[in-house]
Amino acid sequence: MKAFVYQGPGKSALMDRPKPEIAAPTDAIVKIVKTTICGTDLHILKGDVPTCKPGRILGHEGVGIVEQVGAAVTAFKPGDRVIVSCVSSCGKCDYCRKGMYSHCTTGGWILGNTIDGTQAEYVRTPHADTSLYHIPANSDEEALVMLSDILPTGFECGVLNGKVQPGATVAIVGSGPIGLAALLTAQFYSPAQIIMVDFDENRLETASRFGATQIINAADGKAVEKIMQMTGGRGVDTAIEAVGVPASFVTCEDIVAPGGVIANIGVHGVKVDLHLEKLWDRNIAITTRLVDTATTPMLLKTVQSRKVDPARLITHRFKLDKITDAYETFSHADKTNALKVIIEA
């Protein structure tokens, strides 16, 4: 089969690889129909994720058709159309029983990280019964690719961890796909203000269309000053970091109000300064999280009822044999205006 393979920092290629086989009774083999690229994949290609070794097939998102199931799989059968969750969950270990599927002792974020992933014609999915989701009839499967990772990540790591409340003031630092997913799902809670911060004018305009109340282009270095002016000098109740670089996290430190929350979503590959000399007395909370996908069933219902439309995040489409072009487009979003790219296997 064709598969996109990480070959070390800065190196990758579309290659021929053996089709995966059932390795455990709880496995399923899924024929990938559509997948996508995540910002985390770009971090892997930079060498920021040491758990992902050269030779790994990348990708942890997608929808497809079950081709084969292990003897212990009871919830799925060949022919079922499914969402592949970015997080694999056994459902039985202590972490899974707490709803912390991302820390499953035999799963977690392993697809496209410690085992081969979804940017291929086929993928082996461990713990299939608790890591796949049935696709309802007549669904927009492209939209549901966003439920593999990006929508639950924005919601769980940003909105829920950030304790967004009705009438609250929220700032999302980073208006890329994950920041926009947080923006879409923050609106479930009717905050009074959602301020989006980015350097990219196109992404900020997109944020305005998606429901941001204010947008700030940070290119002039005055984002913090502008947010403090917008909030009467108080700062924001929730500051969501959605980039994964030191400067964006420090911005969140500078704008969080007393009693507020900094909710980190970004994948950080280098150290970040924590300015406790400014924050020690401000009653703030700082949260970190890897998506658990515990909210995926709820989000699937909201997509089905048209309360949220994640298909709005899709800007480009490619065939699998053009995945190198897809990566080039996605990694140069400042020039291509890319948000999420769909790759058809």
Side-chain angles (χ1 to χ4, degrees):
M1 67 172 184
K2 296 293 183 183
F4 188 72
V5 180
Y6 170 60
Q7 297 179 308
K11 299 177 182 178
S12 58
L14 184 66
M15 304 175 67
D16 286 316
R17 292 288 292 269
K19 183 179 170 182
E21 298 178 350
I22 296 289
T26 52
D27 288 349
I29 305 299
V30 177
K31 177 178 172 55
I32 293 295
V33 174
K34 296 178 190 294
T35 184
T36 187
I37 301 170
C38 178
T40 306
D41 296 322
L42 299 185
H43 280 283
I44 290 173
L45 291 178
K46 292 176 184 176
D48 289 345
V49 184
T51 52
C52 186
K53 304 299 184 184
R56 179 69 59 228
I57 297 172
L58 293 186
H60 50 267
E61 304 163 88
V63 298
I65 303 168
V66 175
E67 178 163 287
Q68 185 182 359
V69 297
V73 176
T74 60
F76 298 92
K77 63 184 186 304
D80 286 346
R81 304 188 79 87
V82 294
I83 301 168
V84 179
S85 176
C86 65
V87 166
S88 301
S89 162
C90 75
K92 298 175 182 179
C93 70
D94 287 346
Y95 288 118
C96 285
R97 288 178 180 274
K98 294 177 182 178
M100 293 174 61
Y101 306 142
S102 60
H103 293 277
C104 174
T105 55
T106 55
W109 174 42
I110 54 177
L111 286 175
N113 178 15
T114 58
I115 68 171
D116 287 335
T118 59
Q119 290 171 9
E121 293 179 276
Y122 295 88
V123 66
R124 179 180 70 88
T125 61
H127 305 307
D129 275 346
T130 43
S131 306
L132 299 175
Y133 297 90
H134 287 282
I135 293 179
N138 303 315
S139 294
D140 179 352
E141 293 190 355
E142 284 193 349
L144 296 188
V145 173
M146 306 300 118
L147 268 69
S148 288
D149 180 356
I150 185 171
L151 209 64
T153 296
F155 184 55
E156 294 177 12
C157 304
V159 177
L160 293 185
N161 264 19
K163 297 180 172 59
V164 175
Q165 300 290 328
T169 299
V170 179
I172 301 173
V173 182
S175 191
I178 196 66
L180 292 171
L183 167 62
L184 288 173
T185 54
Q187 293 170 72
F188 293 161
Y189 294 95
S190 300
Q193 287 179 280
I194 307 179
I195 305 165
M196 298 293 292
V197 182
D198 205 284
F199 291 95
D200 189 310
E201 199 61 37
N202 176 69
R203 289 186 166 187
L204 290 170
E205 291 171 4
T206 301
S208 290
R209 294 197 306 273
F210 283 16
T213 57
Q214 288 107 347
I215 57 174
I216 294 176
N217 192 315
D220 62 3
K222 297 181 178 179
V224 172
E225 179 183 332
K226 291 175 182 177
I227 290 172
M228 298 309 286
Q229 289 174 350
M230 289 176 179
T231 59
R234 179 177 173 274
V236 300
D237 300 303
T238 300
I240 297 174
E241 197 287 328
V243 184
V245 298
S248 57
F249 190 87
V250 171
T251 295
C252 291
E253 295 181 49
D254 290 339
I255 63 175
V256 67
V261 180
I262 298 173
N264 184 82
I265 301 178
V267 177
H268 291 270
V270 297
K271 72 179 184 68
V272 177
D273 291 331
L274 177 61
H275 290 284
L276 281 178
E277 77 279 8
K278 298 179 182 178
L279 300 174
W280 70 270
D281 65 343
R282 300 189 68 189
N283 294 56
I284 69 158
I286 298 174
T287 66
T288 65
R289 183 171 181 172
L290 182 60
V291 64
D292 293 305
T293 67
T295 63
T296 300
M298 180 277 288
L299 291 169
L300 181 56
K301 291 178 183 177
T302 66
V303 173
Q304 286 299 106
S305 64
R306 303 183 187 279
K307 298 295 183 184
V308 64
D309 181 12
R312 299 168 72 188
L313 295 162
I314 300 167
T315 56
H316 294 74
R317 294 167 177 82
F318 297 87
K319 298 289 188 181
L320 181 61
D321 61 1
K322 298 293 183 183
I323 192 169
T324 302
D325 294 339
Y327 265 90
E328 184 73 13
T329 298
F330 185 68
S331 62
H332 292 91
D334 57 330
K335 299 175 182 177
T336 63
N337 295 334
L339 291 174
K340 291 297 282 185
V341 301
I342 289 291
I343 299 160
E344 187 174 348

